Amino acid sequence: MSYLDSYYARTLADDRRRPALDGTAEADVCIIGGGLAGLTAALWLARAGKSVVLLEAQRIGWGASGRNGGFVTPGFATGFDHIARIAGAEQARALHTLSIEGVRLIRETTEALAIPGTDPVPGIVSALRHEGADRLMAQRDRLERDFGYRVEFLSRAEVQERFVSRKYFQALRDPAAFHFHPLNYLRGIAAEIERLGGRIFEDSAALAHRLDDAVKTVATSRGKVAARDVVFTGGGYIGRLVPELARSFLPIATYVMLTEAAPERIATAIRTTDAVADNRRAGDYYRLVDGGKRILWGGKITTRLSDPGDLAERLRQAMVATYPQLDGLKIEAAWSGQMSYARHLMPQISRLRPHLWYATAFGGHGMNTTAIGGKILAEAITGESDRIRLFAPFGLASTLGPLGRAAVQLTYWTLQAQD
Ligand SMILES: Cc1cc2nc3c(=O)[nH]c(=O)nc-3n(C[C@H](O)[C@H](O)[C@H](O)COP(=O)(O)OP(=O)(O)OC[C@H]3O[C@@H](n4cnc5c(N)ncnc54)[C@H](O)[C@@H]3O)c2cc1C
């Protein structure tokens, strides 16, 4: 399987293929899924001296992690107050602090490994599409008071200097958040795992398993892995491999497009290297790529997983609704990806039973939380920490059955109707 056509696949720093698993491999830990969750867990396990085999059904970063918007910002797919209602205010603060650590983790890993082609650019703006200066200033003050985390308030005039659109009002700018090339990042981590002795197999979907014995086995079409611990990190693509997990999340699709190169035209609209997301739940998020020559624009969510035929046109219309001056700009590629959402909208990170782990449901705000989720899962497996207990209030809530289906519908409406 090849990568689908995206900006990231067009600008790979290295395109080395990994072999498919053939025969039997043994390891301390077998990880299923080579997205950000699985690779980060594998990296930290390998660093802790564990032998690791990672199975990826397609290619490294083929799923959401290698085709997303590339925004790395603190927070979760749901807001602080919602988290506090379920877990309590103190735990919600600990979780937010963890999400800040997730941002730092990606930045530091990128730098420490000098991963080529990641192109990190600091600065993410979260903009309102309605008047709300007081609310934003209160939010800025709360972040500084509760977390010592500094963001900048931008007035409407300051926002419109950067983003020349009448749609925007005030904004908060996070100078510590950044945007980057996620697929090159993942491939860089994969290379580091292999340097440390870990083995990665592409085109190697886990198809069956025996998980009740002390040594568990996971079978692919041409081989099998025998391991003491097994980790499921298949994101929105895991399907029905593990029934308990399949029941507990809803795959949701979201979309991204890439414009043609037209730097002068684009500069009439976007005059900053900062990325921007508007504050609607399924709102627009976009940034300049290719040295400012193109726009990478994301938005929309659907429960329908097959791509609409007019995907590129729908995204183009969203762009032109914000920037009429960009009407006529051509779209060169458009693609979708699947995220996994739990009913409570929070990641699910825990173990099903001893030596059987999962980290999934990272939703649409997943880069920071998926990275830190993978790391704390590795810490749980090695016994270094039990930080995964922070996610204990967010268990495997079923999305099946009449009540479950109603909850799923509600979740979806919550996501979409917050526009
Ligand atoms: C279009 C899009 C834009 C997004 N934009 C952003 C953004 O800008 N910022 C942000 O923070 N978040 C964003 N997200 C969310 C973020 O990408 C995800 O939350 C995160 O990448 C999830 O990582 P993951 O490792 O759990 O899953 P994935 O990256 O989907 O990885 C799962 C992997 O498991 C593999 N797999 C599945 N089943 C099997 C099996 N049986 N055997 C072997 N392998 C298997 C899949 O092939 C896949 O490669 C976006 C998501 C999408 C789809």
Side-chain angles (χ1 to χ4, degrees), residues 33 35-37 56-57 63-65 68-71 206 234 237 254 285 337 363-367:
L36 185 59
E56 165 53 48
S65 305
N68 59 46
F71 286 48
Y237 295 92
T254 179
Y285 52 93
H365 194 111
M367 291 307 279

Side-chain angles (χ1 to χ4, degrees), residues 61-344:
W62 179 89
S65 305
R67 52 172 100 172
N68 59 46
F71 286 48
V72 187
T73 64
F76 290 88
T78 186
F80 183 90
D81 292 341
H82 176 69
I83 299 170
R85 269 199 299 281
I86 299 174
E90 195 182 324
Q91 189 138 333
R93 271 195 291 278
L95 282 162
H96 191 81
T97 303
L98 194 72
S99 81
I100 295 173
E101 186 184 332
V103 175
R104 206 167 54 233
L105 176 68
I106 296 189
R107 190 177 42 243
E108 287 174 358
T109 308
T110 306
E111 287 166 7
L113 298 179
I115 301 176
T118 47
D119 305 329
V121 179
I124 292 192
V125 171
S126 172
L128 294 183
R129 288 169 71 109
H130 51 78
E131 190 64 51
D134 292 347
R135 205 186 95 203
L136 285 190
M137 284 194 259
Q139 199 178 328
R140 173 199 59 189
D141 296 345
R142 179 166 148 183
L143 284 172
E144 175 141 22
R145 189 187 61 233
D146 291 352
F147 303 102
Y149 195 82
R150 290 219 175 133
V151 294
E152 301 157 9
F153 173 81
L154 301 181
S155 67
R156 190 170 191 198
E158 288 169 319
V159 171
Q160 294 195 350
E161 266 167 35
R162 295 162 168 81
F163 305 101
V164 189
S165 167
R166 295 165 60 84
K167 296 278 184 196
Y168 292 125
F169 287 74
Q170 301 82 15
L172 291 181
R173 175 178 188 273
D174 184 342
F178 61 97
H179 50 101
F180 79 147
H181 191 306
L183 186 53
N184 281 336
Y185 176 78
L186 295 177
R187 296 185 62 83
I189 307 187
E192 177 67 3
I193 293 164
E194 289 167 330
R195 194 187 68 78
L196 295 169
R199 285 164 292 165
I200 297 177
F201 298 97
E202 293 184 318
D203 296 312
S204 299
L207 301 174
H209 43 66
R210 288 187 54 178
L211 303 172
D212 292 329
D213 303 332
V215 175
K216 297 160 185 47
T217 53
V218 177
T220 66
S221 62
R222 283 167 27 205
K224 72 175 183 191
V225 184
R228 183 162 179 268
D229 287 86
V230 174
V231 177
F232 295 98
T233 48
Y237 295 92
I238 188 93
R240 304 208 49 77
L241 185 64
V242 186
E244 295 101 306
L245 295 182
R247 278 195 291 271
S248 72
F249 75 88
L250 172 70
I252 286 188
T254 179
Y255 306 92
V256 181
M257 71 174 182
L258 177 72
T259 70
E260 64 176 323
E264 283 101 36
R265 186 89 192 275
I266 288 171
T268 64
I270 303 170
R271 297 181 171 160
T272 172
T273 57
D274 288 355
V276 64
D278 69 49
N279 70 315
R280 298 170 303 167
R281 180 63 66 172
D284 303 325
Y285 52 93
Y286 52 92
R287 62 195 184 97
L288 300 183
V289 292
D290 195 13
K293 295 196 202 74
R294 302 167 189 273
I295 305 173
L296 187 137
W297 184 289
K300 306 201 178 298
I301 58 169
T302 65
T303 45
R304 175 187 143 159
L305 299 178
S306 55
D307 286 359
D310 58 348
L311 168 57
E313 178 54 20
R314 287 193 200 192
L315 288 166
R316 195 194 69 81
Q317 281 172 10
M319 178 181 74
V320 172
T322 303
Y323 296 111
Q325 65 270 48
L326 296 183
D327 198 7
L329 195 63
K330 292 196 188 63
I331 308 310
E332 281 198 359
W335 61 94
S336 64
Q338 279 171 224
M339 312 171 283
S340 59
Y341 273 91
R343 257 166 62 182
H344 43 60

Side-chain angles (χ1 to χ4, degrees), residues 5-54:
D5 182 24
S6 73
Y7 173 68
Y8 306 119
R10 291 176 179 200
T11 50
L12 280 182
D14 96 274
D15 194 16
R16 185 165 62 86
R17 293 194 82 103
R18 270 93 186 166
L21 176 66
D22 205 344
T24 301
E26 290 176 11
D28 295 327
V29 188
C30 172
I31 296 180
I32 298 167
L36 185 59
L39 287 164
T40 310
L43 175 65
W44 287 91
L45 287 165
R47 283 178 168 170
K50 295 279 180 194
S51 66
V52 178
V53 167
L54 185 146

